[in-house]
Amino acid sequence: MSRTLYRWSSLALRKMAEEISKAEHRSSPTTAVAKSRSLWPSVLRWIPTSTDHIIASEKRLLSLVKTPYVQEQVNIGSGAPGSKVRWFRSSSNEPRFINTITFDSKEGSPTLVMVHGYAASQGFFFKNFDYLASRFKVIAIDQLGWGGSSRPDFACKSTEETEAWFVDSFEEWRKAKNLSNFILLGHSFGGYVAAKYALKHPEHVQHLILVGPAGFAAESDGKSEWLTRFRATWKGAILNHLWESNFTPQKIVRGLGPWGPDLVRKYTTARFSPRYSADNVLTEDESRLLTDYVYHTLAAKASGELCLKYIFAFGAFARMPLLHSASEWKVPTTFIYGVQDWMNYQGAQEARKQMKVPCEIFRVPQAGHFVFLENPDGFHSAMLYACRRFLSPHPDDEPFPEGLQSA
């Protein structure tokens, strides 16, 4: 398996620095985020954000979506029932909330629940909501400790506690929403969480869709010689120390205070510049609104982001890898990758060999890790084909989408 599957988080700081450096050579318009530094309320704050800012920026971003939706804060209580220790490791009995948006849909449409990845939030799917809502009842959430959801103090001290933080809070959200028999989609780290949830609660999930998922192999799998060599370098030693210290890219954004929005603008401009096709990934308005949204979600109180070193060892090798649980899979699964995704699809191929349920692997051209932003049409085609047994009266007769690759 290619080592690139495991690098995604350990190299986050380096990726950000490289892409910002590239962006310095491009001219880009001043954004609303940058301009906001001149506003009086921001002058009074070192970090010009708040929960209200997150929700407001989410609303501005979702103004690009035509389908009506309802935004709500779903109360998930103060802890998982029956647990001696609350999942968020807090002494407070204060209830926690999951930020949730539900789009209007046709009666009888299958329910699709969408879970974002690390350092992201549900608004990252803004280019997909209209299309998917025409065929599904779409519900997107911010995971506990991310986006506009509650951000409790993160004091988990083990992989088991950290997984419970996300899996148990999602289950309490499901109970509060009275959902069952839904299609569950997770992107990147959200794919890891979605898979762990489906392993624990398969009775609620009709179909699992993992988009560029993380966490399919462990360092002990014998394919990490490159990591041993990298650790021996001075760069590797520094990154290893930062990892074990639970240093996250978000801390850089917060540390820069009122200059943080400029850093995020440069990063998002570089990250979502044309890479795999001649077309722009985002329009000027989309870029401006997404940058504003990303800044506020990253700069807010550290919470869910601190999961990183407990879920992954340095190099982003999973401490409790999904590959080792593949034989226990009980839910039919579809993997979707961009052809240029640095999450290697070979991890899914290895897992499929052990699965006893239907499993398909699709690769979308002209797209990388953010396949749903970089090639939304290709992503939508993959989604419809993956869910054909829920959408078509004759699923076996549906043609394979043109341009899509089957692995």
Side-chain angles (χ1 to χ4, degrees), residues 16 247 283 333 337 347 353 355 403:
M16 178 178 278
F247 188 87
T283 66
T333 301
Y337 294 87
K353 294 175 183 177
M355 291 182 182

Side-chain angles (χ1 to χ4, degrees), residues 75-110:
N75 189 332
I76 59 172
S78 59
S83 174
K84 294 181 180 179
V85 180
R86 297 174 179 84
W87 65 68
F88 48 80
R89 304 287 291 171
S90 172
S91 59
S92 169
N93 288 320
E94 176 188 354
R96 308 296 173 170
F97 298 87
I98 296 293
N99 186 39
T100 305
I101 55 173
T102 303
F103 290 88
D104 286 0
S105 61
K106 299 175 183 177
E107 187 175 354
S109 297

Side-chain angles (χ1 to χ4, degrees), residues 87-329:
W87 65 68
F88 48 80
R89 304 287 291 171
S90 172
S91 59
S92 169
N93 288 320
E94 176 188 354
R96 308 296 173 170
F97 298 87
I98 296 293
N99 186 39
T100 305
I101 55 173
T102 303
F103 290 88
D104 286 0
S105 61
K106 299 175 183 177
E107 187 175 354
S109 297
T111 299
L112 172 66
V113 177
M114 305 180 73
V115 182
H116 62 83
Y118 187 85
S121 301
Q122 49 82 4
F124 272 66
F125 297 114
F126 76 96
K127 295 191 78 168
N128 316 111
F129 286 142
D130 278 330
Y131 186 90
L132 295 177
S134 69
R135 291 157 175 83
F136 302 90
K137 178 182 179 180
V138 174
I139 305 175
I141 68 164
D142 289 334
Q143 297 190 71
L144 184 66
W146 292 101
S149 291
S150 296
R151 293 179 178 241
D153 293 338
F154 189 90
C156 297
K157 299 300 181 183
S158 70
T159 301
E160 291 80 5
E161 286 182 359
T162 305
E163 286 188 355
W165 164 290
F166 295 104
V167 172
D168 290 354
S169 59
F170 183 86
E171 171 61 4
E172 293 308 301
W173 171 85
R174 182 203 66 79
K175 291 178 182 177
K177 291 292 289 180
N178 193 29
L179 289 176
S180 193
N181 297 321
F182 53 88
I183 300 165
L184 179 58
L185 178 150
H187 172 242
S188 197
F189 172 69
Y192 178 89
V193 172
K196 289 288 184 175
Y197 177 84
L199 283 164
K200 187 173 182 179
H201 300 284
E203 67 277 10
H204 301 304
V205 183
Q206 288 182 305
H207 195 88
L208 184 63
I209 300 177
L210 304 179
V211 183
F216 268 88
E219 184 176 350
S220 60
D221 287 348
K223 300 178 181 178
S224 58
E225 295 86 357
W226 67 272
L227 183 60
T228 301
R229 294 194 298 271
F230 182 64
R231 277 198 183 116
T233 67
W234 67 268
K235 291 181 180 179
I238 292 174
L239 283 172
N240 186 60
H241 175 73
L242 290 173
W243 187 280
E244 295 303 325
S245 301
N246 222 355
F247 188 87
T248 66
Q250 292 91 323
K251 291 181 179 180
I252 297 176
V253 175
R254 296 186 194 101
L256 287 174
W259 292 274
D262 284 338
L263 177 72
V264 174
R265 174 182 56 79
K266 292 171 184 176
Y267 174 71
T268 54
T269 298
R271 180 62 187 82
F272 297 111
S273 61
R275 293 185 175 195
Y276 313 118
S277 71
D279 298 328
N280 288 327
V281 176
L282 303 173
T283 66
E284 185 175 326
D285 279 348
E286 289 171 345
S287 180
R288 173 176 55 83
L289 293 172
L290 181 61
T291 295
D292 180 42
Y293 175 71
V294 170
Y295 170 72
H296 290 298
T297 58
L298 294 184
K301 174 186 173 181
S303 182
E305 74 191 63
L306 300 175
C307 70
L308 210 54
K309 79 168 189 176
Y310 298 106
I311 298 294
F312 302 102
F314 178 65
F317 289 94
R319 299 188 188 276
M320 297 179 68
L322 291 167
L323 184 59
H324 293 180
S325 303
S327 62
E328 303 168 23
W329 232 254

